[in-house]
Amino acid sequence: MNRIIEKNDDLLKDCIGCGVCAEICPKKCINMSENKEGFMFPIVDEKECIQCGNCYKKCPQNKKNEGVEGTFYMAWNKDSKVLEKSSSGGVFTALANFVLERQGVVVGAKFDSDSKEVMHDIIFKVDELDKLRLSKYYQSVTQSIFSKVKKMLKQKKMVLFTGTACQIAALYTYLGEMKRSEFLYTMDVLCHGVANKKTVISYIKDREKQYGKNIINFCFRVKEGEEGWQSGNGTRMKLFFEDGTSEVQDKFLDTYFVGFNSNIFLRQSCYECHYCGTRRISDFTVADFWGVTSDKIGEKQMREGVSVLLVNSKRAKEILPNLKRDLYIEKINPMEAIPYNRAFIKPNTCPEERKYFFGMMEKKGFDYTVKKLNKKYYRNKKIKAIMFKILPENCMEYIMNKRKKI
């Protein structure tokens, strides 16, 4: 009889779905499978299990976070074309170029437009970088990648591994002492929390109903329009249709980002994240530079994008001068960034509405559920839109300025 580990409430809240347990099991009796919400969890075939304890020993959630305080910088790529393709400041591209130019490989999250799956993959050439660029707002499959990385390191090949902090932790536990390899560099992307493929597919189905045509691809963050990046607030979802057309979604009303930002469909372990804060486990950490203003970086850069870059290890500091060929880098006071990004402080709180989301989505669909569970938000947006239509522009500016001061 198979035992679904998610039936244990503590494991359900703690499991990050990395798949290390399945990867290291000597009997291969652990498989990763979707739970009813759509998140990946391990299933153990108890008939085959030999009680070796490897799954427990190698689980990153059973390890202490040995992160260190990094040095804060703001950074952006000097190439405008790279910035256009990137979610924020294009730091990943500069670091990837450094590794690829030294005959290394880069590991990161890739989106498959056919299966709608996000999975970690390896690239070997600069012209493959587009596969790994841009943010993916749901969890990638990592299980099979760890053994491939280990093989590359044994071959003394330089490896850049990018992902969320918990995925970096999973890689480290899998590698054991090899995590200290001189050939391994890691970069984590500061994480709000992860959704899953099932939720994204439900959103896409509702968009197909709305537009009456098939969606063949989508990007979670594009910098289109006059606003561009604008501290990350200008970026928005873009849908690509079978007929060759595309649509960019309203950044304030799009149901996916309203739901994502209200935290109603994140993985349960995200609300208890072990890796939030300024003590980081990777060599580098990157994030949007929330809170930065045009007074500091100029209007042009506000449109094109800028990142916060944390340099967390001696090895990372050593290669920083090499990155300055492609990046503008300037040291900043940590308090210029920390207050504007919650993940530098603590995990997101699990809202009461989460317990209703997945069941309601199954019955009523994605849009209905997000709007129902965020009805106050949508009501306020509707009132604001009506006020903008009926009140003079200078009157609305006065009201908005008053609200900011309250």
Side-chain angles (χ1 to χ4, degrees), residues 121-183:
D121 200 4
I122 301 175
I123 65 163
F124 300 83
K125 297 181 291 187
V126 170
D127 59 12
E128 296 178 299
L129 272 176
D130 279 352
K131 297 177 184 178
L132 307 185
R133 285 195 183 101
L134 295 176
S135 300
K136 289 85 177 176
Y137 278 73
Y138 58 110
Q139 190 167 22
S140 62
V141 177
T142 54
Q143 179 185 340
S144 63
I145 201 68
F146 302 124
S147 59
K148 294 176 183 177
V149 170
K150 189 173 186 177
K151 182 179 179 181
M152 294 287 182
L153 293 175
K154 284 182 177 179
Q155 295 171 352
K156 297 185 177 181
K157 210 166 189 62
M158 189 182 287
V159 177
L160 169 64
F161 187 98
T162 63
T164 60
C166 62
Q167 290 172 335
I168 306 292
L171 173 70
Y172 286 166
T173 58
Y174 179 85
L175 292 176
E177 285 302 309
M178 197 175 284
K179 73 179 181 180
R180 306 182 194 280
S181 169
E182 63 180 295
F183 300 102

Side-chain angles (χ1 to χ4, degrees), residues 261-272:
N261 290 325
S262 62
N263 307 317
I264 57 175
F265 50 71
L266 304 182
R267 189 181 182 97
Q268 283 196 336
S269 60
C270 295
Y271 306 110
E272 305 290 336

Side-chain angles (χ1 to χ4, degrees), residues 380-394:
N380 290 342
K381 286 296 179 185
K382 188 173 183 180
I383 291 171
K384 186 177 174 181
I386 292 170
M387 290 174 67
F388 266 106
K389 284 184 178 180
I390 63 176
L391 293 177
E393 186 176 338
N394 60 348

Side-chain angles (χ1 to χ4, degrees), residues 79-121:
D79 188 333
S80 293
K81 291 182 180 178
V82 170
L83 282 172
E84 187 179 334
K85 296 178 179 180
S86 305
S87 295
S88 51
V91 171
F92 162 72
T93 299
L95 189 52
N97 282 339
F98 171 82
V99 172
L100 292 170
E101 286 169 1
R102 287 157 179 80
Q103 288 72 54
V105 299
V106 178
V107 183
K110 179 184 77 173
F111 172 70
D112 187 296
S113 59
D114 294 325
S115 67
K116 305 297 186 289
E117 197 74 75
V118 176
M119 73 286 288
H120 262 58
D121 200 4

Side-chain angles (χ1 to χ4, degrees), residues 325-349:
R325 183 196 69 180
D326 293 338
L327 296 177
Y328 172 82
I329 302 174
E330 180 182 326
K331 193 173 181 180
I332 61 171
N333 184 322
M335 294 311 296
E336 293 183 65
I338 291 172
Y340 302 98
N341 202 316
R342 184 186 175 100
F344 279 136
I345 304 168
K346 59 183 178 180
N348 285 301
T349 302

